[in-house]
Structure formats: structure tokens, C-alpha cells
Amino acid sequence: MKGTKSVISDENKKLCAWLKQQRQLKKHTMRSLSELLGTPHSFIGKVENQERRLDVVEFVRYCQALEVDPAEGLRQVTSN
């Protein structure tokens, strides 16, 4: 629709792309990561497809499960 704004921000796109990239680099499937997090595998798909946003606690847990530094993800969001 003309004049409406997307609920998906450029920053969220960057973060989701980074999380997906990290998952793939760590050789996790959506299912294996969801098992580590104790969530349905659809949760991972929704995050990566930007259908669901992570709150800060979920983001930290997601990063811990992937064994990556959450600060690096935040740098991705704040970089140009």
C-alpha cells in the first residue's frame, strides 16, 4: 500500500542475515539449533524470515547457542 511503512527495518534484516549466516557457519540446521534453544524449529524459520523479532534475552540466548558474541551481532546492526 502506498504510504505505509514496513514493520521490517533494515537493521532487523541485517541482524537476521547475520544470525542465519552464523547458524550455517556453525553447521546447524534450523532443527538442531531449535533443539539447543528448546524451541520449535519453526521459531528459527520465523526469526530468519523476519516474521518474528527477538527480544534482547532471546537474542543473547540465540547467540549463546551458536557460540557467537552478541556484541558482534549488534555491530552488524549499527554498521553502515
Side-chain angles (χ1 to χ4, degrees), residues 5-56:
K5 292 186 178 183
S6 172
V7 295
I8 301 170
S9 65
D10 288 340
E11 294 86 0
N12 195 58
K13 287 179 188 178
K14 287 181 187 178
L15 184 63
C16 292
W18 180 78
L19 288 170
K20 182 176 182 177
Q21 177 185 45
Q22 295 306 307
R23 176 181 62 77
Q24 292 171 333
L25 287 171
K26 299 289 183 167
K27 308 281 191 230
H28 278 292
T29 63
M30 287 186 200
R31 197 169 298 275
S32 68
L33 181 56
S34 70
E35 288 173 9
L36 286 174
L37 290 169
T39 63
H41 72 277
S42 61
F43 172 82
I44 307 302
K46 287 179 182 177
V47 169
E48 290 185 1
N49 292 318
Q50 301 168 57
E51 295 169 21
R52 186 189 189 289
R53 288 183 182 235
L54 295 172
D55 69 29
V56 69

